[in-house]
Amino acid sequence: MDHFLYRGGILCAEDVSIPEIAETVGTPFYVYSCATLTRHYQLFKEALEGIDNLVCFAMKANSNQAVIAHLANLGAGMDVVSGGEYLRAKAAGVPGERIVFSGVGKTREEMRTALTGGIRQFNVESEPEMVALSEVATSLGLTAPITIRVNPDVDAKTHEKIATGKSENKFGIPIAKAPAVYAMAASLPGIEVVGIDVHIGSQLTELEPFRLAYEKVKELTLQLRAEGHDIRRLDLGGGLGIPYERSNTAPPLPTEYGALIKEVVGDLGVEVEIEPGRLIAGNAGILVSSVVYVKEGEGRDFLILDAAMNDLVRPAMYGAWHDIVPVVEPAPGVEQRPYDIVGPVCESGDTFAKQRQMPPLSEGDLVAFRSAGAYGAVMSSEYNTRPLIPEVLVKDDHVAVIRARPSFDEIINRDTVPEWV
Ligand code: LLP
């Protein structure tokens, strides 16, 4: 459920009409709903009620500081994967003790940033990373709390580019090697083992892969405890999928996911962390765009929008589906026709949808891409010197631009031409 509904035939974000926002900020733009962010965060909190838990929002899904601050005010922690995300979380007011640091390639510089600024834990992904962290922590006279990310060799049954839990993926250490790596961790100065971490992939639409992975983590917890390690925290990652295509069966709900977690690890007496990104932010955002031209091609018509692959890369990158709806609700029973919906970028890959059934649309009409709040704005670029598009946040009838569109001067002046050119 989200808070982008038609009211009197006009698509609204909570109590604000989309055409009104378009009028002020111009298209294309992203708009997020606080009520939807809150609801999705609360769903996880309710699902985990009864066990000690921290829901850490995976900031890679949406790192706008207003979004982070909103979630942090509700009590959320953050999962960061770079020094930049760490600093953004801090700038948005998230305390260090609620930030976990994931990622396969943390640099020493990033470790220093997080150690000195305060951190809940590092999720360590390799032996060399652990050695580096030990060196950095001791040089600062500090101790780094860590989990080790294990790779359980489980098929997440998702798109190959976002599956992370198979042995051929670069993530984590093979679970069979875990006891040896934990022993190594225990012997290193400046390192304090606090738990185990696992994350098997993103946009999972079944619970079974989670069950397989979490059962392996449970077994490992018991083994490591028997070997003397104080495993008191389990970071179970993110990955629960969302319904991108409303006509399809929906993925499992957070309640079912929470029930599974409680069933598998509920009796271990651990604190559970989860790192959802997409499920919290995905349906809390839409991308609004205008039709520039309707072009009649050979045997097909193209709807050419002012948004492009640089603004929302998911269709081009993963062949991803986003529902695309007209902002003015079509009259019931209006005849739909197929369009190829494309952007203006000079690549055939700049195609959002092929032969998508839409009501008749014409120049200047507004359309909205649903489920664009996660991995939308954060993955955008200025390809073709198209400025990053604005982000807008709505709460009831409040509206704010939370990232403004840069001017062409700002973009152009970022380059420097050396005098010897
Ligand atoms: N934790 C870790 C360690 C991760 O690598 C990820 C996502 C998450 C949590 C959050 O997963 P989520 O709950 O959002 O599924 N750009 C792709 C998705 C990449 C996901 C990468 N890792 C897309 O647009 O589909």
Side-chain angles (χ1 to χ4, degrees), residues 37 42 53 86 89 112 135 205 246 255 261 269 285 301 321 401:
L37 289 166
Q42 295 297 2
N53 71 82
Y86 175 86
R112 255 189 294 277
E135 283 169 13
T205 53
R246 305 259 152 154
T255 21
I261 291 177
D301 291 345
W321 175 287
V401 174

Side-chain angles (χ1 to χ4, degrees), residues 65-103:
Q65 284 179 67
V67 169
I68 306 165
H70 174 71
L71 291 168
N73 288 342
L74 299 172
M78 296 292 148
D79 167 42
V80 307
V81 288
S82 69
E85 281 192 354
Y86 175 86
L87 292 171
R88 245 173 208 264
K90 289 301 291 273
V94 185
E97 69 261 24
R98 294 216 306 255
I99 304 177
V100 303
F101 201 145
S102 302

Side-chain angles (χ1 to χ4, degrees), residues 16-249:
V16 184
S17 98
I18 297 297
E20 232 170 76
I21 306 176
E23 188 80 7
T24 355
V25 305
T27 56
F29 61 89
Y30 281 99
V31 53
Y32 311 124
S33 149
C34 281
T36 314
L37 289 166
T38 304
R39 177 181 153 77
H40 291 161
Y41 169 74
Q42 295 297 2
L43 285 178
F44 280 115
K45 287 306 281 182
E46 286 160 22
L48 293 177
E49 221 169 75
I51 45 174
D52 201 5
N53 71 82
L54 184 68
V55 175
C56 295
F57 175 61
M59 264 177 65
K60 62 170 79 63
N62 188 321
S63 55
N64 190 293
Q65 284 179 67
V67 169
I68 306 165
H70 174 71
L71 291 168
N73 288 342
L74 299 172
M78 296 292 148
D79 167 42
V80 307
V81 288
S82 69
E85 281 192 354
Y86 175 86
L87 292 171
R88 245 173 208 264
K90 289 301 291 273
V94 185
E97 69 261 24
R98 294 216 306 255
I99 304 177
V100 303
F101 201 145
S102 302
V104 286
K106 303 171 200 78
T107 64
R108 285 174 161 77
E109 190 53 42
E110 289 175 320
M111 292 169 179
R112 255 189 294 277
T113 303
L115 276 168
T116 48
I119 188 86
R120 179 178 181 81
Q121 90 212 16
F122 291 90
N123 294 332
V124 173
E125 299 219 20
S126 66
E127 293 97 320
E129 180 192 335
M130 182 119 62
V131 172
L133 184 58
S134 166
E135 283 169 13
V136 173
T138 37
S139 75
L140 294 168
L142 295 169
T143 299
I146 67 142
T147 71
I148 294 174
R149 176 167 176 182
V150 293
N151 184 324
D153 195 21
V154 164
D155 182 357
K157 302 207 178 109
T158 183
H159 192 284
E160 58 161 349
K161 287 189 184 161
I162 53 176
T164 56
K166 288 287 285 172
S167 54
E168 68 255 31
N169 302 130
K170 67 183 174 184
F171 300 97
I173 58 148
I175 196 158
K177 269 176 82 179
V181 182
Y182 273 89
M184 170 189 166
S187 73
L188 286 174
I191 297 284
E192 186 199 1
V193 171
V194 297
I196 307 174
D197 170 45
V198 72
H199 170 79
I200 57 173
S202 193
Q203 186 54 16
L204 271 69
T205 53
E206 294 170 38
L207 286 183
E208 210 39 37
F210 286 119
R211 176 188 295 280
L212 291 174
Y214 297 168
E215 279 171 352
K216 289 188 179 195
V217 168
K218 175 178 192 170
E219 206 179 304
L220 181 64
T221 303
L222 298 174
Q223 181 183 351
L224 292 175
R225 280 181 175 170
E227 287 165 10
H229 301 285
D230 182 13
I231 304 298
R232 53 186 186 270
R233 201 180 274 172
L234 297 182
D235 182 336
L236 298 176
L240 191 59
I242 62 171
Y244 277 103
E245 204 173 336
R246 305 259 152 154
S247 52
N248 270 2
T249 35

